[in-house]
mmCIF file of all heavy atoms in Angstrom:
data_model
loop_
_atom_site.group_PDB
_atom_site.id
_atom_site.type_symbol
_atom_site.label_atom_id
_atom_site.label_comp_id
_atom_site.label_asym_id
_atom_site.label_seq_id
_atom_site.Cartn_x
_atom_site.Cartn_y
_atom_site.Cartn_z
ATOM 1 N N TYR A 24 13.594 -25.974 28.829
ATOM 2 C CA TYR A 24 14.796 -26.192 28.035
ATOM 3 C C TYR A 24 14.850 -24.941 27.031
ATOM 4 O O TYR A 24 13.738 -24.601 26.496
ATOM 5 C CB TYR A 24 14.645 -27.505 27.303
ATOM 6 C CG TYR A 24 14.660 -28.625 28.302
ATOM 7 C CD1 TYR A 24 13.497 -29.186 28.675
ATOM 8 C CD2 TYR A 24 15.880 -29.064 28.807
ATOM 9 C CE1 TYR A 24 13.515 -30.249 29.676
ATOM 10 C CE2 TYR A 24 15.859 -30.204 29.656
ATOM 11 C CZ TYR A 24 14.674 -30.628 30.191
ATOM 12 O OH TYR A 24 14.600 -31.661 31.099
ATOM 13 N N THR A 25 15.970 -24.461 26.802
ATOM 14 C CA THR A 25 16.091 -23.416 25.802
ATOM 15 C C THR A 25 16.972 -23.787 24.714
ATOM 16 O O THR A 25 18.089 -24.253 24.916
ATOM 17 C CB THR A 25 16.655 -22.148 26.518
ATOM 18 O OG1 THR A 25 15.951 -21.712 27.634
ATOM 19 C CG2 THR A 25 16.767 -20.944 25.601
ATOM 20 N N LEU A 26 16.497 -23.651 23.583
ATOM 21 C CA LEU A 26 17.231 -23.747 22.293
ATOM 22 C C LEU A 26 17.468 -22.381 21.651
ATOM 23 O O LEU A 26 16.585 -21.637 21.462
ATOM 24 C CB LEU A 26 16.405 -24.572 21.314
ATOM 25 C CG LEU A 26 17.020 -24.803 19.930
ATOM 26 C CD1 LEU A 26 18.335 -25.646 19.967
ATOM 27 C CD2 LEU A 26 15.938 -25.502 18.968
ATOM 28 N N THR A 27 18.772 -21.955 21.465
ATOM 29 C CA THR A 27 19.056 -20.771 20.890
ATOM 30 C C THR A 27 19.423 -20.815 19.468
ATOM 31 O O THR A 27 20.365 -21.598 19.168
ATOM 32 C CB THR A 27 20.231 -20.003 21.839
ATOM 33 O OG1 THR A 27 19.709 -19.897 23.141
ATOM 34 C CG2 THR A 27 20.460 -18.665 21.194
ATOM 35 N N VAL A 28 18.796 -20.154 18.589
ATOM 36 C CA VAL A 28 19.099 -20.179 17.194
ATOM 37 C C VAL A 28 19.816 -18.820 16.958
ATOM 38 O O VAL A 28 19.603 -17.801 17.425
ATOM 39 C CB VAL A 28 17.901 -20.262 16.249
ATOM 40 C CG1 VAL A 28 16.933 -19.059 16.458
ATOM 41 C CG2 VAL A 28 18.319 -20.197 14.827
ATOM 42 N N ARG A 29 21.094 -18.916 16.356
ATOM 43 C CA ARG A 29 22.014 -17.838 16.166
ATOM 44 C C ARG A 29 22.457 -17.689 14.745
ATOM 45 O O ARG A 29 22.846 -18.600 14.127
ATOM 46 C CB ARG A 29 23.224 -18.051 17.022
ATOM 47 C CG ARG A 29 24.142 -16.937 17.146
ATOM 48 C CD ARG A 29 25.337 -17.307 18.212
ATOM 49 N NE ARG A 29 24.942 -17.952 19.365
ATOM 50 C CZ ARG A 29 24.502 -17.407 20.495
ATOM 51 N NH1 ARG A 29 24.370 -16.082 20.528
ATOM 52 N NH2 ARG A 29 24.118 -18.082 21.578
ATOM 53 N N ASN A 30 22.506 -16.404 14.192
ATOM 54 C CA ASN A 30 23.046 -16.145 12.953
ATOM 55 C C ASN A 30 24.453 -15.915 13.172
ATOM 56 O O ASN A 30 24.784 -14.823 13.690
ATOM 57 C CB ASN A 30 22.318 -15.004 12.309
ATOM 58 C CG ASN A 30 22.884 -14.740 10.922
ATOM 59 O OD1 ASN A 30 23.754 -15.287 10.425
ATOM 60 N ND2 ASN A 30 22.274 -13.620 10.339
ATOM 61 N N THR A 31 25.366 -16.785 12.735
ATOM 62 C CA THR A 31 26.890 -16.489 13.013
ATOM 63 C C THR A 31 27.586 -15.859 11.808
ATOM 64 O O THR A 31 28.726 -15.562 11.989
ATOM 65 C CB THR A 31 27.482 -17.909 13.291
ATOM 66 O OG1 THR A 31 27.374 -18.692 12.100
ATOM 67 C CG2 THR A 31 27.027 -18.603 14.491
ATOM 68 N N CYS A 32 26.776 -15.516 10.785
ATOM 69 C CA CYS A 32 27.433 -14.907 9.596
ATOM 70 C C CYS A 32 27.236 -13.324 9.629
ATOM 71 O O CYS A 32 26.449 -12.857 10.607
ATOM 72 C CB CYS A 32 26.917 -15.540 8.269
ATOM 73 S SG CYS A 32 25.197 -15.059 7.956
ATOM 74 N N GLY A 33 27.811 -12.733 8.697
ATOM 75 C CA GLY A 33 27.801 -11.202 8.660
ATOM 76 C C GLY A 33 26.673 -10.653 7.855
ATOM 77 O O GLY A 33 26.605 -9.458 7.675
ATOM 78 N N GLN A 34 25.814 -11.541 7.301
ATOM 79 C CA GLN A 34 24.597 -11.151 6.519
ATOM 80 C C GLN A 34 23.340 -11.461 7.202
ATOM 81 O O GLN A 34 23.331 -12.554 7.857
ATOM 82 C CB GLN A 34 24.750 -11.718 5.147
ATOM 83 C CG GLN A 34 25.997 -11.392 4.434
ATOM 84 C CD GLN A 34 25.946 -9.839 3.951
ATOM 85 O OE1 GLN A 34 24.945 -9.228 3.704
ATOM 86 N NE2 GLN A 34 27.176 -9.301 3.989
ATOM 87 N N PRO A 35 22.253 -10.717 7.034
ATOM 88 C CA PRO A 35 20.973 -11.275 7.565
ATOM 89 C C PRO A 35 20.580 -12.514 6.770
ATOM 90 O O PRO A 35 20.915 -12.763 5.609
ATOM 91 C CB PRO A 35 19.972 -10.153 7.145
ATOM 92 C CG PRO A 35 20.778 -8.942 6.641
ATOM 93 C CD PRO A 35 22.124 -9.466 6.351
ATOM 94 N N VAL A 36 19.863 -13.435 7.460
ATOM 95 C CA VAL A 36 19.193 -14.581 6.864
ATOM 96 C C VAL A 36 17.713 -14.472 7.055
ATOM 97 O O VAL A 36 17.212 -13.833 8.102
ATOM 98 C CB VAL A 36 19.698 -15.932 7.502
ATOM 99 C CG1 VAL A 36 21.153 -16.231 7.084
ATOM 100 C CG2 VAL A 36 19.534 -15.950 8.944
ATOM 101 N N GLN A 37 16.907 -14.852 6.044
ATOM 102 C CA GLN A 37 15.454 -14.761 6.113
ATOM 103 C C GLN A 37 14.869 -16.096 6.115
ATOM 104 O O GLN A 37 15.466 -17.119 5.923
ATOM 105 C CB GLN A 37 15.106 -13.992 4.797
ATOM 106 C CG GLN A 37 15.482 -12.548 4.584
ATOM 107 C CD GLN A 37 16.894 -12.393 4.137
ATOM 108 O OE1 GLN A 37 17.434 -13.226 3.507
ATOM 109 N NE2 GLN A 37 17.518 -11.285 4.460
ATOM 110 N N LYS A 38 13.541 -16.006 6.390
ATOM 111 C CA LYS A 38 12.760 -17.202 6.375
ATOM 112 C C LYS A 38 13.303 -18.295 7.337
ATOM 113 O O LYS A 38 13.359 -19.491 6.923
ATOM 114 C CB LYS A 38 12.424 -17.741 5.016
ATOM 115 C CG LYS A 38 11.615 -16.683 4.200
ATOM 116 C CD LYS A 38 11.423 -17.274 2.834
ATOM 117 C CE LYS A 38 10.719 -16.292 1.934
ATOM 118 N NZ LYS A 38 10.383 -16.721 0.513
ATOM 119 N N VAL A 39 13.792 -17.920 8.570
ATOM 120 C CA VAL A 39 14.341 -18.793 9.414
ATOM 121 C C VAL A 39 13.224 -19.552 10.123
ATOM 122 O O VAL A 39 12.183 -19.089 10.688
ATOM 123 C CB VAL A 39 15.221 -18.173 10.473
ATOM 124 C CG1 VAL A 39 15.717 -19.115 11.496
ATOM 125 C CG2 VAL A 39 16.335 -17.291 9.893
ATOM 126 N N VAL A 40 13.362 -20.904 9.968
ATOM 127 C CA VAL A 40 12.314 -21.821 10.637
ATOM 128 C C VAL A 40 13.011 -22.844 11.467
ATOM 129 O O VAL A 40 13.983 -23.456 11.006
ATOM 130 C CB VAL A 40 11.452 -22.634 9.646
ATOM 131 C CG1 VAL A 40 10.501 -23.625 10.313
ATOM 132 C CG2 VAL A 40 10.653 -21.557 8.697
ATOM 133 N N VAL A 41 12.593 -22.937 12.699
ATOM 134 C CA VAL A 41 13.240 -23.983 13.581
ATOM 135 C C VAL A 41 12.239 -25.024 14.008
ATOM 136 O O VAL A 41 11.152 -24.734 14.189
ATOM 137 C CB VAL A 41 13.700 -23.280 14.934
ATOM 138 C CG1 VAL A 41 14.432 -24.255 15.929
ATOM 139 C CG2 VAL A 41 14.725 -22.163 14.598
ATOM 140 N N GLN A 42 12.601 -26.218 13.871
ATOM 141 C CA GLN A 42 11.754 -27.419 14.197
ATOM 142 C C GLN A 42 12.413 -28.228 15.339
ATOM 143 O O GLN A 42 13.596 -28.493 15.194
ATOM 144 C CB GLN A 42 11.392 -28.269 13.040
ATOM 145 C CG GLN A 42 10.638 -27.368 11.991
ATOM 146 C CD GLN A 42 10.261 -28.169 10.749
ATOM 147 O OE1 GLN A 42 9.376 -29.056 10.854
ATOM 148 N NE2 GLN A 42 10.786 -27.859 9.663
ATOM 149 N N VAL A 43 11.663 -28.756 16.306
ATOM 150 C CA VAL A 43 12.178 -29.692 17.236
ATOM 151 C C VAL A 43 11.224 -30.799 17.437
ATOM 152 O O VAL A 43 10.061 -30.616 17.567
ATOM 153 C CB VAL A 43 12.248 -29.012 18.659
ATOM 154 C CG1 VAL A 43 12.676 -29.856 19.722
ATOM 155 C CG2 VAL A 43 13.230 -27.758 18.571
ATOM 156 N N ARG A 44 11.796 -31.979 17.316
ATOM 157 C CA ARG A 44 11.105 -33.189 17.649
ATOM 158 C C ARG A 44 11.357 -33.772 18.916
ATOM 159 O O ARG A 44 12.509 -33.903 19.270
ATOM 160 C CB ARG A 44 11.326 -34.362 16.551
ATOM 161 C CG ARG A 44 10.574 -35.571 16.651
ATOM 162 C CD ARG A 44 10.996 -36.680 15.802
ATOM 163 N NE ARG A 44 11.110 -36.284 14.356
ATOM 164 C CZ ARG A 44 10.140 -36.209 13.573
ATOM 165 N NH1 ARG A 44 8.881 -36.483 13.909
ATOM 166 N NH2 ARG A 44 10.372 -35.835 12.309
ATOM 167 N N VAL A 45 10.262 -33.876 19.775
ATOM 168 C CA VAL A 45 10.437 -34.597 21.134
ATOM 169 C C VAL A 45 10.045 -35.967 21.174
ATOM 170 O O VAL A 45 9.192 -36.388 20.305
ATOM 171 C CB VAL A 45 9.710 -33.697 22.162
ATOM 172 C CG1 VAL A 45 10.184 -32.311 22.240
ATOM 173 C CG2 VAL A 45 8.245 -33.709 21.841
ATOM 174 N N PRO A 46 10.528 -36.801 21.936
ATOM 175 C CA PRO A 46 10.165 -38.282 22.016
ATOM 176 C C PRO A 46 8.638 -38.376 22.262
ATOM 177 O O PRO A 46 8.014 -37.567 22.946
ATOM 178 C CB PRO A 46 10.997 -38.893 23.120
ATOM 179 C CG PRO A 46 12.121 -37.904 23.271
ATOM 180 C CD PRO A 46 11.600 -36.588 22.976
ATOM 181 N N LYS A 47 8.105 -39.401 21.850
ATOM 182 C CA LYS A 47 6.567 -39.705 21.997
ATOM 183 C C LYS A 47 6.136 -39.713 23.532
ATOM 184 O O LYS A 47 5.020 -39.318 23.955
ATOM 185 C CB LYS A 47 6.174 -40.922 21.358
ATOM 186 C CG LYS A 47 6.324 -40.816 19.855
ATOM 187 C CD LYS A 47 5.917 -42.096 19.171
ATOM 188 C CE LYS A 47 6.013 -41.898 17.626
ATOM 189 N NZ LYS A 47 5.768 -43.048 16.899
ATOM 190 N N ASP A 48 7.069 -40.165 24.317
ATOM 191 C CA ASP A 48 6.685 -40.266 25.769
ATOM 192 C C ASP A 48 6.867 -39.099 26.583
ATOM 193 O O ASP A 48 6.437 -38.872 27.754
ATOM 194 C CB ASP A 48 7.351 -41.417 26.424
ATOM 195 C CG ASP A 48 8.831 -41.270 26.390
ATOM 196 O OD1 ASP A 48 9.477 -40.452 25.738
ATOM 197 O OD2 ASP A 48 9.693 -42.005 27.183
ATOM 198 N N ALA A 49 7.363 -37.885 25.996
ATOM 199 C CA ALA A 49 7.602 -36.642 26.599
ATOM 200 C C ALA A 49 6.361 -35.844 26.412
ATOM 201 O O ALA A 49 5.617 -35.880 25.302
ATOM 202 C CB ALA A 49 8.813 -35.890 26.040
ATOM 203 N N THR A 50 6.038 -34.973 27.345
ATOM 204 C CA THR A 50 4.888 -34.102 27.194
ATOM 205 C C THR A 50 5.292 -32.665 27.164
ATOM 206 O O THR A 50 5.992 -32.170 28.237
ATOM 207 C CB THR A 50 3.883 -34.308 28.432
ATOM 208 O OG1 THR A 50 3.557 -35.615 28.418
ATOM 209 C CG2 THR A 50 2.575 -33.484 28.312
ATOM 210 N N VAL A 51 4.990 -31.943 26.155
ATOM 211 C CA VAL A 51 5.414 -30.445 26.148
ATOM 212 C C VAL A 51 4.146 -29.739 26.689
ATOM 213 O O VAL A 51 3.139 -29.795 26.006
ATOM 214 C CB VAL A 51 5.808 -30.027 24.740
ATOM 215 C CG1 VAL A 51 5.981 -28.556 24.691
ATOM 216 C CG2 VAL A 51 7.044 -30.775 24.294
ATOM 217 N N SER A 52 4.307 -28.902 27.739
ATOM 218 C CA SER A 52 3.163 -28.151 28.144
ATOM 219 C C SER A 52 3.234 -26.654 27.887
ATOM 220 O O SER A 52 2.173 -26.017 27.925
ATOM 221 C CB SER A 52 3.202 -28.220 29.759
ATOM 222 O OG SER A 52 4.489 -27.734 30.350
ATOM 223 N N ALA A 53 4.285 -26.247 27.444
ATOM 224 C CA ALA A 53 4.396 -24.837 26.996
ATOM 225 C C ALA A 53 5.540 -24.501 26.093
ATOM 226 O O ALA A 53 6.546 -25.252 26.152
ATOM 227 C CB ALA A 53 4.516 -23.836 28.240
ATOM 228 N N THR A 54 5.455 -23.588 25.235
ATOM 229 C CA THR A 54 6.516 -23.149 24.356
ATOM 230 C C THR A 54 6.578 -21.490 24.432
ATOM 231 O O THR A 54 5.406 -20.992 24.547
ATOM 232 C CB THR A 54 6.387 -23.521 22.956
ATOM 233 O OG1 THR A 54 5.115 -23.038 22.448
ATOM 234 C CG2 THR A 54 6.444 -25.089 22.789
ATOM 235 N N ALA A 55 7.686 -20.993 24.328
ATOM 236 C CA ALA A 55 7.792 -19.505 24.269
ATOM 237 C C ALA A 55 8.926 -19.104 23.369
ATOM 238 O O ALA A 55 9.970 -19.583 23.504
ATOM 239 C CB ALA A 55 7.963 -18.963 25.587
#
């Protein structure tokens, strides 16, 4: 699954942090 974070404004944004919570019964085997 791909989540794309996009800056839609005309100025840079700093200290961008993305968090994703997955359900307890799901298993994440890799992230990139």
Side-chain angles (χ1 to χ4, degrees):
Y24 301 91
T25 301
L26 172 69
T27 301
V28 61
R29 185 180 320 274
N30 178 2
T31 59
C32 70
Q34 299 294 322
V36 291
Q37 292 82 27
K38 298 182 182 179
V39 177
V40 175
V41 178
Q42 297 180 68
V43 174
R44 181 186 311 278
V45 298
K47 291 180 182 178
D48 59 344
T50 304
V51 176
S52 59
T54 60

